[in-house]
Amino acid sequence: MKRLFLHPAAVLLAALLAWQIVALVKTTPLFPGPLDVAGALWDDGPRLIREIGHTLRRAVAGFALAALTMIPLGLAMGRIRALGFVGEPLVAMLATLPPPATVPVVMLFAGTGDLAKILVIAYAAAIPLVINAAEAARNLHPMLGLVGRSLGLTRLETLRLIALPSALPMLAVAARMAASAALLVSITSEMLLSTNGIGNYLQREQENFRLDAGLAGIVLISVVGLILNRLIAASERRWLGWHYQSRTAETQA
Amino acid sequence: MTALLEAGGLAKVFPGRPDPVEILRDISFAVAPEEFVSIVGPSGCGKTTLLMCLAGLLPPSSGWVRFRGQPVTDPPRGVSVVFQDYSRSLLPWKSARENVTLGMRRLGLGRAAARDRAEALLAEVGLAGFEGHFPWQLSGGMQQRVAIARALAAESALLLLDEPLAAVDAQTRADLQDLLRGLARKFRQACLLVTHDVDEAVYMADRVLVLSRRPTRILREVPLALGAERDQIDTRERPDYLAARHEILTLIRAARPEGAGA
Amino acid sequence: MTALLRPVLALGLLAALWQAVVWAAVVPERYFPPIATVVQAGMSMIARGQMQQALFDTGSRAILGAIAVNLIGIGLGLAATGAPSLRRILDTVAAILQPVPPAAVVPMAVFALGLGWKLYAFVVVLVTIWPPYLATVSALAATNPVLLSVGRMAGFGPVAMLWHIRLPAAMPEILAGVRYATTIALIAVIVSEMITGRDGIGFLLFQKAFAIRIPEVFALMFAVGLLGSAMGLAVSAVYRGFAGWHLAQRGRAA
């Protein structure tokens, strides 16, 4: 009995019920209940899908831009000492600048359209990618390079067959951080530079005191974020299973 | 003489997929006070599992363990373990001295007394001057000396040694073998040494228990009379040493699973 | 020595690059002013007291928020470790709330809580609490089993085990969560200021940008970077205090 009572789903349901009761007592559109939110989700459904499509499109573009430029740069910083020596403190310095703080400047150069937002998203995603790629390349076990040489591999083969796979677990962690940063900043940039997207929707509806619609937008963001996380976790299991299994074996030994 | 540690009908089965894995089957033996017993067996035969059951760290599936006549369910007072993996069994955030002090928690000493004793024990294992070092600042052999000092600190009547010297180089190994035997005699402790190295098992012990492959039983008990004083060169050339070594190696070779490599 | 040399070198390089772009005149000077102009703009904002006020507003919100959020997050992590049913509930809540950006809740929070400190407290707690919580829970569950055996042999009960073994072993991972949360706290505060548009660096950045006062925008960005660095250094100091052994150990192993 107690176990059922404390089940997360049961607790959530109870919280929703309590919320609904308070909303029914208050009877004001400024305190929407879960049913109002569900209603808004239903009414605005097609529009919400369209808006989150804009958001995701820009998030993916920004993430891809960052991944294509920053992973090679980070790996190079980790392998080439001189580059790392000046590059790393530079990156560390930039990392202290929160992505939204770059919005005003980016806006001056790139306007308020897609390009500006994609640049801010790419900046946000770039920081974990470049830091972790450099770290992964630097921490490559010296033994692995020797193994490559003893097997008679060329430099390029060593890079492809040994260096890249052993850097992958760390890059995966970075990609996960970068992906969630990309989504967060994509939404934030839409709230700051309003044209379209789910962030813009949230801003508009809440300013119009349609709080139920605002909450509906937040619910949608949460669901999309959850799905994104699941997808990343599943692909990590698929491609990096060897890493996690060897780690589990280590802790069990 | 009454036994210090006794095990009777000890068995351990781990739930596994698709079938449960039977590790230990019906193990019974006893260790007398101040006795040095070695346990050898083919690799993967569940030696560590056996030791964990004896230490009260792992409940057996059936059978019993008694220490000083009391059934063992939790780690009892008076038993210390030196773990196989010294690099993970020391707390990396504590100095050598603090790691040794950890072994004395059950003695209820004051802070200053514990500190003095820890330093004395570190000197005993040859680590005077390294009291303030952290484990990762020490070599493998030195880390294992800290782990030994920590086990000695509990003033235990019984030391359980789980392949304590498996990961150190040959010279350090010989030194630590003599150190361990010397300290066990000095502090009048019984020792139970688990090892896969037959030479080490014979050199250190008053008695060797030879295990079978999984599910593990005791194949034979080999008593030794090599004397109290051992010497790395002379002892290893004695005819009775060589005879015991031959007997045990033959048993283990026969016990190896089919097709196992050299 | 090199510890000091490298940031100085990086700063110099950044300044040189900056000045090179200015001299090459690839971007109109109006949009990309020389360093001297940026410094001048910063000085005049300091002279007017604008800079200090904004830094104080943003800094106090972010720093107090980060301290509170990390303490609450670690506390919840400890509580959840002791009570598995609480952990299941909190994990569900974390999974739901983690993807929500701070900006998304600001308009509603303004409506419910006004523009004062309660707004910032709410936004920072809601979006920042999860990294320290999740790090604490996962690190406490992953103690090396050999160390747990060592603790049992020393006769530790559950509380002593937590205090002497599990918590110290978990510290490096917990503090990584703290570092992450501290960065997000600053971001959350700046975004909130941008949206509410009343005070703080976030507000000032937008105000100056819309007025096309570009040297001042750059001076403010530099100030934000300094604030971020200062908070990062504070976390590093805490890290050295609680998990310095881990840094030293890694430095030696590498």
Side-chain angles (χ1 to χ4, degrees):
Chain A
M1 192 57 214
K2 193 183 166 200
R3 180 146 301 192
L4 186 71
F5 182 66
L6 283 173
H7 192 275
V11 173
L12 270 174
L13 215 65
L16 284 178
L17 199 69
W19 178 12
Q20 183 66 50
I21 289 168
V22 176
L24 284 176
V25 172
K26 289 235 177 184
T27 59
T28 153
L30 299 182
F31 195 96
L35 288 178
D36 303 310
V37 176
L41 211 50
W42 178 257
D43 292 340
D44 285 4
R47 194 173 143 215
L48 278 167
I49 301 281
R50 207 169 48 242
E51 300 291 8
I52 198 119
H54 288 300
T55 305
L56 286 174
R57 179 171 54 77
R58 283 188 288 258
V60 169
F63 177 84
L65 180 63
L68 289 177
T69 53
M70 290 303 141
I71 293 177
L73 179 66
L75 291 176
M77 275 171 47
R79 295 314 294 168
I80 305 166
R81 284 198 56 178
L83 199 60
F85 190 79
V86 288
E88 272 176 38
L90 208 59
V91 170
M93 212 169 276
L94 281 178
T96 59
L97 188 65
T102 66
V103 170
V105 168
V106 172
M107 182 176 80
L108 291 170
F109 288 104
T112 57
D114 269 11
L115 180 65
K117 288 171 199 148
I118 290 172
L119 284 176
V120 178
I121 294 165
Y123 168 72
I127 287 168
L129 287 172
V130 74
I131 290 177
N132 282 281
E135 181 90 6
R138 190 153 23 89
N139 290 350
L140 205 67
H141 199 285
M143 204 59 159
L144 286 175
L146 293 182
V147 168
R149 271 169 57 191
S150 73
L151 291 173
L153 303 181
T154 65
R155 273 189 81 116
L156 210 64
E157 282 173 320
T158 309
L159 190 73
R160 187 169 59 85
L161 295 174
I162 294 179
L164 210 57
S166 50
L168 272 183
M170 215 164 168
L171 289 180
V173 173
R176 186 193 280 254
M177 288 169 75
S180 63
L183 182 62
L184 290 185
V185 171
S186 185
I187 297 163
T188 307
S189 69
E190 290 159 1
M191 298 193 73
L192 299 173
L193 308 172
S194 18
T195 39
N196 57 17
I198 191 80
N200 183 239
Y201 170 92
L202 283 177
Q203 181 87 333
R204 289 252 168 93
E205 298 309 316
Q206 294 185 44
E207 276 171 3
N208 293 337
F209 297 109
R210 278 196 65 208
L211 296 188
D212 49 352
L215 282 168
I218 290 174
V219 168
L220 183 65
I221 291 169
S222 171
V223 170
V224 168
L226 273 174
I227 293 172
L228 206 67
N229 254 332
R230 286 287 157 86
L231 280 178
I232 293 174
S235 51
E236 269 181 32
R237 264 199 306 281
R238 170 92 175 68
W239 300 109
L240 291 170
W242 58 269
H243 174 67
Y244 295 106
Q245 268 165 21
S246 71
R247 272 196 12 184
T248 331
E250 216 172 281
T251 42
Q252 277 171 354
Chain B
M1 194 186 277
T2 55
L4 185 66
L5 179 82
E6 287 171 285
L10 210 59
K12 182 72 189 174
V13 181
F14 283 107
R17 273 187 214 163
D19 302 307
V21 186
E22 188 180 8
I23 308 279
L24 305 176
R25 176 186 285 179
D26 191 22
I27 293 200
S28 306
F29 68 97
V31 178
E34 298 181 45
E35 190 184 18
F36 202 121
V37 177
S38 291
I39 297 182
V40 276
S43 38
C45 76
K47 298 185 286 271
T48 295
T49 307
L50 172 59
L51 209 70
M52 294 300 115
C53 290
L54 296 175
L57 289 168
L58 197 66
S61 306
S62 60
W64 46 264
V65 179
R66 277 201 284 265
F67 177 70
R68 285 180 174 145
Q70 299 295 314
V72 170
T73 48
D74 262 332
R77 242 169 232 258
V79 176
S80 294
V81 180
V82 177
F83 293 89
Q84 178 174 12
D85 199 343
Y86 52 79
S87 62
R88 290 177 188 214
S89 79
L90 297 175
L91 310 186
W93 55 87
K94 289 199 180 291
S95 67
R97 183 195 300 117
E98 292 166 322
N99 265 290
V100 175
T101 316
L102 190 72
M104 298 176 218
R105 285 199 30 111
R106 287 178 153 185
L107 300 181
L109 294 174
R111 193 175 272 265
R115 189 190 159 95
D116 289 347
R117 222 177 105 68
E119 292 186 352
L121 281 166
L122 281 168
E124 194 83 60
V125 297
L127 284 179
F130 291 95
E131 296 87 356
H133 282 60
F134 287 89
W136 34 271
Q137 294 174 315
L138 302 170
S139 72
M142 290 159 98
Q143 289 181 38
Q144 194 57 299
R145 284 167 195 261
V146 177
I148 291 169
R150 180 173 69 192
L152 293 173
E155 293 183 345
S156 296
L158 176 66
L159 280 187
L160 300 175
L161 307 159
D162 182 12
E163 304 236 18
L165 310 177
V168 295
D169 64 87
Q171 184 55 50
T172 310
R173 195 175 174 128
D175 293 346
L176 289 180
Q177 282 170 352
D178 292 330
L179 178 72
L180 265 176
R181 248 198 84 84
L183 290 172
R185 288 188 62 208
K186 180 169 174 184
F187 294 110
R188 305 170 64 91
Q189 289 168 313
C191 286
L192 190 63
L193 168 74
V194 160
T195 178
H196 66 269
D197 178 348
V198 174
D199 281 291
E200 181 170 283
V202 176
Y203 177 73
M204 303 282 279
D206 305 317
R207 189 153 58 100
V208 179
L209 302 176
V210 185
L211 300 183
S212 72
R213 68 181 156 117
R214 268 185 1 213
T216 305
R217 293 162 297 113
I218 295 179
L219 278 182
R220 192 172 300 173
E221 217 185 292
V222 181
L224 297 162
L226 297 171
E229 300 295 333
R230 310 274 161 112
D231 181 274
Q232 289 285 352
I233 299 167
D234 295 340
T235 305
R236 289 178 192 275
E237 287 173 354
R238 285 171 59 135
D240 47 352
Y241 174 93
L242 293 172
R245 178 178 182 274
H246 185 92
E247 180 185 356
I248 295 166
L249 279 170
T250 313
L251 272 171
I252 288 179
R253 186 162 63 187
R256 270 210 317 249
E258 306 285 323
Chain C
M1 198 56 223
T2 43
L4 203 74
L5 180 72
R6 288 180 72 187
V8 169
L9 199 72
L11 208 59
L13 198 76
L14 191 67
L17 271 174
W18 186 293
Q19 208 57 36
V21 173
V22 172
W23 282 326
V26 277
V27 191
E29 199 177 297
R30 198 165 107 80
Y31 286 115
F32 206 82
I35 295 170
T37 317
V38 174
V39 172
Q40 219 167 31
M43 296 304 273
S44 84
M45 284 171 83
I46 291 172
R48 274 175 282 148
Q50 205 171 21
M51 180 73 94
Q52 298 93 308
Q53 185 59 46
L55 267 177
F56 175 78
D57 288 339
T58 306
S60 58
R61 287 166 189 155
I63 292 167
L64 291 178
I67 293 172
V69 132
N70 281 312
L71 291 177
I72 300 172
I74 295 171
L76 281 182
L78 285 170
T81 302
S85 48
L86 178 65
R87 178 176 176 183
R88 280 201 301 277
I89 293 164
L90 284 175
D91 282 357
T92 314
V93 176
I96 293 171
L97 286 183
Q98 240 198 333
V100 178
V105 295
V106 171
M108 216 174 313
V110 170
F111 182 74
L113 302 169
L115 291 169
W117 67 271
K118 275 190 270 182
L119 166 77
Y120 294 97
F122 173 75
V123 174
V124 169
V125 167
L126 191 71
V127 300
T128 314
I129 206 165
W130 308 112
Y133 164 74
L134 292 170
T136 305
V137 166
S138 92
L140 285 180
T143 317
N144 164 7
V146 179
L147 288 186
L148 292 179
S149 293
V150 169
R152 286 187 62 194
M153 292 310 297
F156 285 155
V159 175
M161 188 77 95
L162 185 70
W163 183 248
H164 288 285
I165 307 255
R166 294 173 71 191
L167 207 51
M171 262 309 162
E173 194 178 336
I174 293 178
L175 288 172
V178 166
R179 182 181 294 281
Y180 189 51
T182 306
T183 351
I184 321 182
L186 180 59
I187 295 178
V189 168
I190 289 179
V191 168
S192 305
E193 290 167 348
M194 284 175 161
I195 293 175
T196 54
R198 197 180 66 157
D199 53 10
I201 290 187
F203 158 72
L204 214 52
L205 268 169
F206 258 163
Q207 195 200 36
K208 300 290 181 190
F210 282 121
I212 324 275
R213 304 186 73 117
I214 292 161
E216 300 189 349
V217 173
F218 279 117
L220 282 168
M221 278 175 68
F222 186 72
V224 173
L226 279 184
L227 181 57
S229 307
M231 289 173 69
L233 285 176
V235 175
S236 296
V238 173
Y239 196 108
R240 272 196 301 281
F242 284 99
W245 58 271
H246 185 248
L247 281 183
Q249 185 183 26
R250 269 204 336 194
R252 204 178 161 82

